[in-house]
Amino acid sequence: MVSRILSARLACAAVMAISIAPVRPASAETKSFVVDWLTLAMHSEDGDCPGGENPGIEDMFRGIFKGMGYEPDKIEELMVLYNGGSGAGPIPGIVVYRGRIDGKPVNVYDNPTSVPDPNIHTVAGRYSPGFDLDNKAEPGSFEDPETREKGIDNQFYRAMGCIHSHRATPPHRAGYWSYAWDAGKSVVRAWLITVTGDDLSRDGKVTVTFNRGMSRVIRDANSQAQRDQTFKIDPDPRTQSSFRGQIKDGVVTIEPGELHMITGGAYLPLQWDMQRAHLRLKLKPDGSAEGVLGGYQPWLQLFYMYGIGGYGMEGMIGVNIPGTYYALRKLADANPDPKTGQNMSISAAYKIEAVPAFTIPPSQKSAAAGR
Amino acid sequence: MSTSTELATRRRVLRGMMGGAAVSVGLPLLDCFLDSTGRAFAGGAPLPVCFGTWFQGLGLNPGSWEPKTTGAGYEMMPHLGLLAPLKSKINIFSGLRAYVSGAVPVHVPGHSVGLGGAMPKPGVAPGPSLDSIIADTIGSRTRFRSLEVSCDGTPTSYSTRGGNARNPGEHLPIALYTRIFGPEFTDPNAASFTPDPEVMVRKSALSAVSDERADLAKKLGAADRTRLDEFFTSLRATENQLNLQLQRPAPLESCVVPRKPEEQPTGRLIHEALAANKAFAALLTYALACGQTQVINVNFAGTASTLRKPGSTDVYHIYTHEEAVDPALGYQPTVTWFQSRVIEALHEFISALDSFKEGDGTLLDRSLVLYTTDHGYARYHTAENIPMITAGSAGGRVKTGIHIAAPGDSMTRVGLTLQQALGVPVSSWGKDQNATSRTITEVLG
């Protein structure tokens, strides 16, 4: 029986080698990973929100109702109906349609500027994981707590990091993002990272590719991604990015470039179009990898993630959606619109945790179809 | 068959007619009904087993509750420390999960898979639930097929006989008291037994309706006859229940009518839920001990629990999303505080059953209570490593004091095991990825 299993495994390995062979040089070594966790990189500390943390959901709703002109007694009456988010009644309708255009109620998630800027509190702390994307160590920019690099650009964290559900201090993952990514793992296709080089145990040049799998992550009994799964690579070019890079002391970095990905599913950005993408990925002795991905993203792509969440995002996660729209717009730091001067991209950084996987490239036929 | 065995047979009744209604009168109370220990009927038949579920939403922190070792002799983790004195009567099942079949696993896996055997399909809840299946085997000859209660101020229940209709939970202890021990309650240990005339009238009316059924059926087409049969099937269930109320119940040594509970506020504050749980624990204990039901279901706090700390601006569920992990503690402090209150409540409930002495044992000894929840790690709302705990041995049908680690297995393995332990003739349970035919043999007595 053992030999039969062994034979089967060898056969599988042979098929795998044949499948992988066309995409790597003859002498290359390749390591592939499936992303187990991708969460907003942050470093919350006491006192890093000068205006205080943003109010929790119930106080946020009280503030919304007050701003709409409700009397205190009526507000408390509504809050009883809200009942921790489980209540029915008029609250969702009031909250969702609190926007006003020409005096008429409109959906505030579709029209975030239909209410005044609530000026949500934002982060002014010292630390954030990430990268100095613009090579300018501006005053007020973050310092990476691990590399000690200054001038770190992570305005996305700055915008969101004073919301209760988004706060975390490493090694703990960002609250909302860990929930969203974990939920997403059950429904969205896997993110794959492949590192190819002559010898990944030595310093040298590498090629790094980001791909999407054709299937979802399978979890182990501890809810983590199962190691050594095999994924067919999605031929859709919108999910493929390749970078030149290097490995030094077991840490992979890339030359800045464009990273594209489609996530889909609940709670996560549908589309990722990251410019000046940076990566710092440590290959660990146990075969896993972890690090930080950063770059500039269209802030509207990030806003849509929250906006699509709608009432649930406000009533369960405590994200003031129009407040988020205004904060992202104000803190955007790249790609100014030629006409308005408004920056259309925002710096962001994400913590990546990945486990080893096998990848099968798309066939030439499906790759052609993907194009 | 010995005389005592004959006397112990619940079906041994005197039958007659009264006012046109069939009347069954049981034998008078005799000391020889029970054996010398009081743990079995004199003929050797065991006392009836009881089954219960005790549910709370929002899981337990991973790593805080799973014993470090498996098998017997495990050490109770500090988070479950309150349960340590009951360890010999408790089994802990770790590593179990719900396969969510590509769905976002928010708030449904635990009760859908653990109690229902499957994830819901669009618009259709799984079912019948575990308690209903078991009630069909052990609870069909009690006044209440099952009793459901809810401690969080809502009628939430995860007990269903199938489809989307759930058996609603009673959320007021005083209402449950009236329901159980009101005018229709028959003390199984009372010296005299008089059939309730009101019940006889209802029974008589139903019998009369039944008599006319055959005549009506002759005049109907096939489809209508089928529908009529379905109608009478449910009617017969009602008749059976009424029949039971016309029979003298078997005596149950530990049955005492409890004191009427005081009216108390029921709401969303955690201390109100704890008080309701305590009151329900007392009432359900009496209900089981007095043979009014053999199946109970307790919802301490539903999925996405809205229980609240006094003075808090947010509810338990919102804390799981909003609260940051304390870097020094390594967990969400308020969420963990709620979990500790949940364990207090579970301890209170199990202890109530265990404090009810019956001969050499306790009511818990002939019971089997399943604790479970909706998620493994509430912060992520995961469907893996969902805690399951059983208390009681169902009269020796389940071995206790054991930690079973079954990483990656579906929660349905526990459900299948409990069904088999309680005599349900089933070899597999669950649907799709959660289907299993693997019993947890280590705990079967």
Side-chain angles (χ1 to χ4, degrees):
Chain A
M1 178 61 79
V2 172
S3 61
R4 279 177 57 192
I5 294 171
L6 192 59
S7 299
R9 287 180 176 172
L10 288 171
C12 288
V15 170
M16 189 71 62
I18 291 166
S19 302
I20 290 172
V23 296
R24 65 184 201 191
S27 61
E29 179 184 6
T30 294
K31 287 187 177 179
S32 292
F33 304 90
V34 58
V35 176
D36 190 12
W37 292 97
L38 188 147
T39 52
L40 181 60
M42 57 175 55
H43 193 97
S44 302
E45 289 186 301
D46 289 344
D48 60 359
C49 299
E53 293 180 24
N54 288 296
I57 294 166
E58 298 198 4
D59 285 343
M60 178 177 76
F61 278 4
R62 285 187 175 92
I64 288 171
F65 296 144
K66 185 179 177 184
M68 295 175 76
Y70 284 92
E71 296 296 326
D73 288 352
K74 180 64 178 175
I75 290 173
E76 292 313 308
E77 192 180 306
L78 288 171
M79 294 314 298
V80 170
L81 294 172
Y82 166 70
N83 192 28
S86 66
I91 292 212
I94 295 172
V95 171
V96 173
Y97 289 95
R98 68 182 186 267
R100 295 290 182 271
I101 295 180
D102 297 332
K104 295 177 182 174
V106 294
N107 184 319
V108 75
Y109 311 132
D110 293 339
N111 304 278
T113 57
S114 62
V115 296
D117 183 358
N119 288 304
I120 65 170
H121 302 160
T122 56
V123 174
R126 176 177 174 182
Y127 296 110
S128 168
F131 301 93
D132 180 3
L133 301 174
D134 57 6
N135 297 316
K136 299 175 188 170
E138 311 98 325
S141 56
F142 292 114
E143 175 181 335
D144 189 298
E146 186 178 336
T147 65
R148 296 294 169 184
E149 183 182 11
K150 292 186 167 48
I152 300 300
D153 301 303
N154 189 358
Q155 294 290 83
F156 185 26
Y157 161 53
R158 191 181 298 284
M160 307 305 294
C162 290
I163 298 171
H164 293 319
S165 60
H166 282 63
R167 292 181 65 75
T169 306
H172 302 291
R173 304 180 186 104
Y176 169 72
W177 273 80
S178 52
Y179 163 75
W181 186 264
D182 192 79
K185 268 194 289 194
S186 298
V187 292
V188 305
R189 296 182 191 176
W191 277 44
L192 307 169
I193 302 173
T194 298
V195 182
T196 302
D198 288 340
D199 181 351
L200 297 181
S201 66
R202 297 182 179 180
D203 294 352
K205 292 182 179 177
V206 297
T207 300
V208 178
T209 58
F210 281 79
N211 297 101
R212 186 170 73 163
M214 293 293 285
S215 56
R216 299 188 297 265
V217 168
I218 296 171
R219 303 178 194 234
D220 66 16
N222 292 318
S223 199
Q224 309 304 309
Q226 181 74 48
R227 296 166 73 102
D228 302 324
Q229 294 173 69
T230 300
F231 295 90
K232 286 181 79 171
I233 289 175
D234 189 338
D236 188 334
R238 296 174 301 171
T239 63
Q240 298 178 343
S241 305
S242 182
F243 302 88
R244 286 182 298 194
Q246 65 170 339
I247 183 167
K248 187 165 191 284
D249 298 330
V251 178
V252 174
T253 55
I254 58 173
E255 295 177 14
E258 291 192 10
L259 183 148
H260 301 282
M261 186 59 75
I262 294 172
T263 310
Y267 316 134
L268 294 167
L270 176 65
Q271 194 170 342
W272 299 67
D273 293 303
M274 185 178 275
Q275 294 179 312
R276 289 194 60 74
H278 287 55
L279 176 71
R280 183 171 62 246
L281 190 70
K282 184 175 183 180
L283 308 187
K284 299 167 73 174
D286 67 356
S288 64
E290 69 175 35
V292 180
L293 169 71
Y296 291 111
Q297 288 177 273
W299 59 268
L300 278 169
Q301 288 183 357
L302 299 172
F303 169 73
Y304 292 149
M305 173 188 71
Y306 293 106
I308 288 169
Y311 177 74
M313 188 65 72
E314 292 199 312
M316 289 289 170
I317 310 296
V319 174
N320 185 314
I321 291 179
T324 295
Y325 176 92
Y326 284 113
L328 293 172
R329 193 172 76 174
K330 285 184 286 190
L331 294 172
D333 52 349
N335 291 337
D337 182 286
K339 291 181 181 174
T340 66
Q342 167 65 48
N343 284 322
M344 299 310 295
S345 294
I346 191 167
S347 55
Y350 301 90
K351 183 179 178 184
I352 284 181
E353 298 164 75
V355 298
F358 297 103
T359 57
I360 302 175
S363 65
Q364 289 187 346
K365 186 177 175 183
S366 60
R371 281 192 289 273
Chain B
M1 183 182 282
S2 70
T3 304
S4 60
T5 303
E6 288 179 50
L7 295 176
T9 305
R10 294 191 65 191
R11 293 177 188 279
R12 186 163 177 81
V13 292
L14 302 177
R15 298 181 187 282
M17 300 293 289
M18 183 183 285
V23 179
S24 303
V25 181
L27 290 169
L29 175 63
L30 299 172
D31 289 342
C32 60
F33 254 83
L34 298 179
D35 72 3
S36 58
T37 69
R39 297 180 67 178
F41 288 115
L47 288 174
V49 293
C50 303
F51 176 72
T53 65
W54 198 96
F55 181 90
Q56 63 112 359
L58 301 171
L60 298 174
N61 292 338
S64 73
W65 61 273
E66 312 94 317
K68 301 290 186 195
T69 60
T70 58
Y74 67 86
E75 190 171 336
M76 196 73 82
M77 293 289 281
H79 202 42
L80 301 184
L82 269 179
L83 300 177
L86 294 162
K87 193 179 79 169
S88 65
K89 297 188 177 188
I90 283 175
N91 289 331
I92 296 177
F93 301 87
S94 64
L96 297 163
R97 59 173 294 177
Y99 285 92
V100 298
S101 305
V104 176
V106 176
H107 295 302
V108 293
H111 64 81
S112 293
V113 174
L115 301 177
M119 286 292 285
K121 304 284 186 190
V124 183
S129 55
L130 189 58
D131 61 285
S132 292
I133 296 169
I134 291 171
D136 284 344
T137 295
I138 69 169
S140 61
R141 292 193 56 78
T142 51
R143 185 172 155 221
F144 301 104
R145 185 177 289 265
S146 64
L147 286 171
E148 286 70 40
V149 300
S150 176
C151 307
D152 65 4
T154 72
T156 301
S157 160
Y158 300 103
S159 171
T160 174
R161 298 202 63 76
N164 291 322
R166 287 179 178 166
N167 301 318
E170 182 61 72
H171 67 282
L172 295 171
I174 196 163
L176 180 70
Y177 178 88
T178 304
R179 193 170 157 204
I180 301 173
F181 300 105
E184 292 190 355
F185 174 72
T186 302
D187 185 345
N189 298 326
S192 60
F193 173 71
T194 307
D196 184 336
E198 255 188 59
V199 174
M200 289 165 57
V201 169
R202 284 157 59 191
K203 170 70 171 64
S204 157
L206 288 176
S207 296
V209 172
S210 298
D211 291 342
E212 292 178 10
R213 172 189 164 199
D215 291 339
L216 180 61
K218 290 174 187 169
K219 300 170 187 171
L220 299 175
D224 278 345
R225 272 205 304 276
T226 302
R227 278 196 285 275
L228 189 66
D229 278 343
E230 289 170 355
F231 170 72
F232 274 102
T233 298
S234 64
L235 208 59
R236 275 194 294 274
T238 307
E239 285 179 328
N240 288 338
Q241 296 287 348
L242 292 175
N243 255 335
L244 285 170
Q245 293 177 56
L246 295 174
Q247 295 175 22
R248 177 182 194 82
L252 289 163
E253 183 193 35
S254 60
C255 174
V256 181
V257 178
R259 191 166 55 87
K260 191 175 182 179
E262 293 176 1
E263 289 199 37
Q264 59 189 33
T266 59
R268 308 302 171 86
L269 293 175
I270 184 77
H271 67 263
E272 292 172 347
L274 289 166
N277 175 72
K278 184 175 183 177
F280 282 134
L283 293 175
L284 292 175
T285 297
Y286 283 110
L288 294 171
C290 293
Q292 301 302 292
T293 188
Q294 286 175 243
V295 177
I296 57 173
N297 294 293
V298 180
N299 167 53
F300 179 72
T303 65
S305 169
T306 53
L307 290 178
R308 186 187 294 267
K309 275 175 94 169
S312 164
T313 56
D314 281 316
V315 298
Y316 182 9
H317 172 228
I318 297 302
Y319 275 110
T320 66
H321 287 294
E322 287 222 310
E323 188 175 39
V325 172
D326 184 304
L329 297 172
Y331 53 76
Q332 294 172 293
T334 306
V335 169
T336 306
W337 181 88
F338 275 108
Q339 290 176 5
S340 296
R341 304 292 81 74
V342 166
I343 299 304
E344 275 179 33
L346 178 62
H347 172 258
E348 175 86 44
F349 192 85
I350 296 172
S351 296
L353 296 179
D354 199 43
S355 65
F356 229 95
K357 301 299 178 192
E358 292 185 331
D360 292 342
T362 71
L363 178 57
L364 180 63
D365 295 335
R366 66 176 172 99
S367 303
L368 186 55
V369 178
L370 169 65
Y371 155 88
T372 192
T373 179
D374 54 351
H375 288 300
Y377 187 22
R379 186 166 179 250
Y380 299 164
H381 285 34
T382 59
E384 293 77 25
N385 196 22
I386 299 177
M388 298 184 90
I389 297 172
T390 60
S393 69
R397 299 175 188 209
V398 171
K399 296 175 189 170
T400 54
I402 300 171
H403 168 217
I404 300 291
D409 288 355
S410 172
M411 300 169 80
T412 48
R413 284 193 70 196
V414 172
L416 174 65
T417 304
L418 301 191
Q419 288 178 61
Q420 291 185 352
L422 293 170
V424 180
V426 60
S427 59
S428 64
W429 188 56
K431 292 178 184 169
D432 304 324
Q433 290 174 286
N434 292 296
T436 187
S437 56
R438 295 174 59 213
T439 310
I440 302 175
T441 54
E442 296 95 315
V443 301
L444 285 180

